Amino acid sequence: MSCGISKAGFLEEEVPRLEDWLNKNQHGQMVYMENHFDKRLDPTLLVDDAKSVVSLLLNYYPSDTQISDSFKISKYAYGQDYHFVIKEKLKELLHSIQENIGAVSGRAFVDSAPVLDKAWAAKSGLGWIGKNSNLLTQKVGSFYFIAELILDLELDYDYAVTDHCGNCTACIDACPTEAIIEPYKVNGSKCISYYTIELKDNLPMEMKGSFDDWAFGCDICQDVCPWNRFSKPHKEPLFNPNPDLLSLTKKDWEEITEETFKVVFKNSPIKRTKFSGLKRNIDFLK
């Protein structure tokens, strides 16, 4: 786990980016992104008397991946739902801070409230926002969950690091749906992850054949990123996959039953799509 700290305050530089993204409807059906605009930009509206944003990264890069003859799921979804795993760790950290320092108030956030995770992590010096809009690090790539503790405690603050994408366009060139419309700008409504997880309607037929066998999420722009050559396997047992997952063939996926789905993906982020959503995605890939 990596940790960086920023002074809590209004993210003025993020305002035009977020406004432009929403105005161009690049969030698609993710209407929740339209809510709590001010809170998204100002953590002091989420935690009374907030002074510091403690950003944390937790590696989820697996030691083993799916077999080649398989419909693919994002590596972050191999194990148990990260929301619950990380929330427990953050609660322990907050409790430890309170035990050692005294009366400290704060809240833990794991992709579950209007917090601009990547912006705060970058501001805290944990990495830079890459051309694929993910947080990149020089030492370990980008296969990381991002979480925060927002505290009413003044701390020593870290500084942002420089961008190290250079002239590389690997992520832009590799995206099969052209969701990365230009460096550092992603049209979320064209992303395979959006289609396979967020979109509740039928998948658009004009996209058939362009999902590259991804049934849940997509890792293409991370897999091709040169910085992910430095990714190291995580050490969190709860992120380890059900052994049956990695060996599922395309035929197994096509024949999966709801009972098998419940066993293999118990406590998994994949449950977000429900069995019906996963079947829709697999049928689209055939």
Side-chain angles (χ1 to χ4, degrees), residues 64-81:
D64 297 300
T65 54
Q66 294 173 273
I67 59 172
S68 56
D69 177 36
S70 180
F71 292 123
K72 296 177 278 192
I73 68 169
S74 284
K75 298 174 188 67
Y76 85 83
Y78 277 14
Q80 292 192 23
D81 193 323

Side-chain angles (χ1 to χ4, degrees), residues 157-200:
Y157 302 119
D158 297 301
Y159 300 95
V161 298
T162 52
D163 185 309
H164 294 279
C165 283
N167 295 323
C168 178
T169 58
C171 58
I172 300 171
D173 301 336
C175 180
T177 58
E178 299 180 347
I180 308 174
I181 51 179
E182 62 181 87
Y184 310 103
K185 288 190 178 181
V186 174
N187 182 343
S189 68
K190 292 181 67 176
C191 179
I192 294 172
S193 290
Y194 169 78
Y195 285 125
T196 56
I197 301 173
E198 301 287 352
L199 186 66
K200 305 310 176 191

Side-chain angles (χ1 to χ4, degrees), residues 27-39:
H27 58 306
Q29 289 185 4
M30 296 182 286
V31 291
Y32 57 85
M33 291 300 298
E34 301 169 18
N35 303 329
H36 309 296
F37 186 85
D38 291 341
K39 288 183 178 178

Side-chain angles (χ1 to χ4, degrees), residues 41-55:
L41 295 160
D42 191 349
T44 65
L45 300 177
L46 292 168
V47 174
D48 289 340
D49 203 29
K51 299 285 197 309
S52 301
V53 179
V54 181
S55 295

Side-chain angles (χ1 to χ4, degrees), residues 10-259:
F10 186 64
L11 289 171
E12 188 173 352
E13 66 275 17
E14 296 299 323
V15 175
R17 291 181 218 173
L18 184 57
E19 281 184 337
D20 184 62
W21 192 69
L22 292 171
N23 290 337
K24 290 179 177 175
N25 200 37
Q26 292 177 352
H27 58 306
Q29 289 185 4
M30 296 182 286
V31 291
Y32 57 85
M33 291 300 298
E34 301 169 18
N35 303 329
H36 309 296
F37 186 85
D38 291 341
K39 288 183 178 178
R40 224 171 266 284
L41 295 160
D42 191 349
T44 65
L45 300 177
L46 292 168
V47 174
D48 289 340
D49 203 29
K51 299 285 197 309
S52 301
V53 179
V54 181
S55 295
L56 301 133
L57 305 183
L58 185 62
N59 182 20
Y60 65 82
Y61 190 75
S63 54
D64 297 300
T65 54
Q66 294 173 273
I67 59 172
S68 56
D69 177 36
S70 180
F71 292 123
K72 296 177 278 192
I73 68 169
S74 284
K75 298 174 188 67
Y76 85 83
Y78 277 14
Q80 292 192 23
D81 193 323
Y82 64 95
H83 295 91
F84 305 113
V85 176
I86 298 176
K87 202 67 173 275
E88 287 305 309
K89 294 181 184 295
L90 290 181
K91 286 178 182 176
E92 289 176 19
L93 177 57
L94 179 56
H95 181 66
S96 176
I97 291 171
Q98 291 167 335
E99 276 195 330
N100 286 281
I101 295 176
V104 176
S105 293
R107 287 178 63 189
F109 298 91
V110 189
D111 194 22
S112 56
V115 179
L116 294 178
D117 304 295
K118 291 180 284 190
W120 283 110
K123 195 175 176 69
S124 300
L126 291 176
W128 71 95
I129 307 294
K131 292 178 182 176
N132 60 5
S133 86
N134 287 317
L135 185 84
L136 305 182
T137 72
Q138 283 183 288
K139 293 182 179 178
V140 282
S142 64
F143 289 102
Y144 267 79
F145 296 120
I146 306 175
E148 298 82 29
L149 277 180
I150 299 179
L151 306 172
D152 65 348
L153 175 69
E154 286 195 1
L155 297 165
D156 290 334
Y157 302 119
D158 297 301
Y159 300 95
V161 298
T162 52
D163 185 309
H164 294 279
C165 283
N167 295 323
C168 178
T169 58
C171 58
I172 300 171
D173 301 336
C175 180
T177 58
E178 299 180 347
I180 308 174
I181 51 179
E182 62 181 87
Y184 310 103
K185 288 190 178 181
V186 174
N187 182 343
S189 68
K190 292 181 67 176
C191 179
I192 294 172
S193 290
Y194 169 78
Y195 285 125
T196 56
I197 301 173
E198 301 287 352
L199 186 66
K200 305 310 176 191
D201 299 337
N202 291 328
L203 296 169
M205 289 309 296
E206 64 266 23
M207 301 307 298
K208 194 166 179 67
S210 61
F211 281 15
D212 195 32
D213 287 336
W214 288 95
F216 182 92
C218 178
D219 288 339
I220 291 174
C221 67
Q222 295 195 83
D223 287 336
V224 301
C225 177
W227 291 109
N228 277 320
R229 290 176 299 184
F230 303 105
S231 296
K232 300 177 180 66
H234 66 77
K235 297 177 182 178
E236 174 51 68
L238 295 175
F239 291 157
N240 290 335
N242 180 304
D244 294 335
L245 168 62
L246 301 185
S247 60
L248 289 176
T249 64
K250 286 184 178 179
K251 184 174 175 59
D252 294 328
W253 282 106
E254 290 170 6
E255 296 176 352
I256 195 169
T257 63
E258 190 155 10
E259 290 71 29

